[in-house]
Amino acid sequence: MKEAFRLFKKLVATSAVGIGGIFCIKLVSCEDMRIQNENDVEPRLPGWRWDTNWDKRDPVYRLLTGGVKRAEVGNKSKTSDTEELMKDLDNVTPKHIRNIFLIRHGQYNLKGSTDNERTLTKLGRKQAAATGKRLKLMSNNYDRFIVSDMSRALETAEIIGKEFSRTNENSLDLFERDPMLREGSPIEPAPPSRKWRPELHYYEDGIRIEAAFRKYFHRAEPEQDKESFEVVVCHASNHE
């Protein structure tokens, strides 16, 4: 245990030098302003430290938990030990960026009582077409297309895909379908919604949505060899 703790301290010190130190972020809203009196000119803001291991892929975390083989420290000089740690750290550090484009489906028929009836409106189809053209202008080299398996998302994806598919190809075939991306209610709304659902739905949807987040939202893998671009057609958060 002492050896593991000593290695952890050395890794933290090494990574601080090798990959830019500690990253911090401040989350601010109007309600966070702590103005003590009318003469205050500098509102007091709460500070929040960024969780560098938010996706469980922090290089130091991976090095400590991923079973990376290291020679016994006692047999090496301090200089060579540090060099080896830096090399191991570099092996588990991403070198490239993932770009994820989140697309909400177009306007749809709110009067539909089932998923199959909640198809895009005329305006929604125009929105999807315009989005496809915009994505095409931004890049023609997307690495991955993913879509929720709900009707309005599939219809939106099919229209977007026409900008990237070959002449005789079904544009929807470009997309990976994932039911984890279906619309849902992750938490009970506050104040309560007029369309309140039994509490169990929030627990069921919340777990699924968290799993989808963990699946798709994370930094690049160390082996990724170039910047990537991915399109995800899904839903806005909702509390119905």
Side-chain angles (χ1 to χ4, degrees):
M1 181 63 72
K2 289 182 178 179
E3 176 62 25
F5 182 67
R6 187 171 69 82
L7 177 60
F8 172 76
K9 290 195 296 183
K10 191 174 186 67
L11 278 170
V12 170
T14 302
S15 63
V17 174
I19 59 175
I22 299 173
F23 291 87
C24 298
I25 189 170
K26 285 187 179 291
L27 306 178
V28 177
S29 71
C30 291
E31 293 181 354
D32 288 330
M33 302 295 184
R34 298 291 187 261
I35 299 179
Q36 302 299 317
N37 59 64
E38 61 182 10
N39 295 320
D40 274 353
V41 293
E42 294 185 2
R44 294 167 175 78
L45 306 177
W48 298 86
R49 174 162 292 184
W50 176 250
D51 179 7
T52 59
N53 196 30
W54 61 274
D55 59 350
K56 305 306 178 188
R57 286 171 167 81
D58 176 73
V60 173
Y61 174 82
R62 278 191 157 182
L63 189 56
L64 288 171
T65 61
V68 178
K69 293 182 179 180
R70 293 179 299 272
E72 289 295 329
V73 175
N75 297 329
K76 292 180 174 290
S77 67
K78 290 184 178 180
T79 301
S80 60
D81 180 35
T82 299
E83 290 175 350
E84 183 166 335
L85 284 174
M86 287 296 293
K87 183 178 179 180
D88 289 342
L89 189 63
D90 183 68
N91 289 336
V92 293
T93 299
K95 310 299 187 301
H96 298 279
I97 297 172
R98 291 181 67 218
N99 298 276
I100 304 174
F101 296 84
L102 289 179
I103 310 297
R104 189 201 177 200
H105 56 76
Q107 185 191 72
Y108 68 101
N109 174 27
L110 292 171
K111 295 181 180 179
S113 57
T114 66
D115 179 51
N116 288 334
E117 294 174 350
R118 292 171 179 168
T119 55
L120 297 186
T121 63
K122 183 178 180 179
L123 174 59
R125 291 190 291 274
K126 287 183 177 180
Q127 291 170 337
T131 300
K133 292 182 185 300
R134 176 59 177 162
L135 287 170
K136 184 69 174 288
L137 285 173
M138 295 172 68
S139 176
N140 195 33
N141 295 307
Y142 293 97
D143 299 277
R144 193 178 184 191
F145 293 86
I146 308 159
V147 63
S148 156
D149 67 351
M150 296 187 79
S151 295
R152 53 193 180 274
L154 290 170
E155 191 176 355
T156 301
E158 184 177 18
I159 295 171
I160 290 174
K162 290 178 180 178
E163 293 291 332
F164 302 95
S165 59
R166 292 183 290 272
T167 304
N168 298 321
E169 183 181 25
N170 182 344
S171 60
L172 200 52
D173 289 343
L174 291 173
F175 286 80
E176 304 169 33
R177 305 187 191 190
D178 193 342
M180 290 176 67
L181 294 172
R182 293 175 69 88
E183 186 177 60
S185 303
I187 58 172
E188 187 173 346
S193 169
R194 289 175 296 177
K195 298 182 178 180
W196 185 84
R197 302 173 68 193
E199 190 176 27
L200 67 92
H201 288 287
Y202 297 106
Y203 286 101
E204 292 174 349
D205 287 350
I207 292 172
R208 172 179 57 80
I209 292 169
E210 175 68 19
F213 176 82
R214 294 293 175 186
K215 181 177 181 179
Y216 292 110
F217 295 89
H218 55 78
R219 72 195 78 191
E221 298 295 343
E223 58 270 20
Q224 182 172 314
D225 59 1
K226 64 182 180 64
E227 187 173 5
S228 65
F229 299 85
E230 303 167 49
V231 174
V232 182
V233 180
C234 49
H235 308 268
S237 60
N238 89 96
H239 304 296
E240 294 183 356

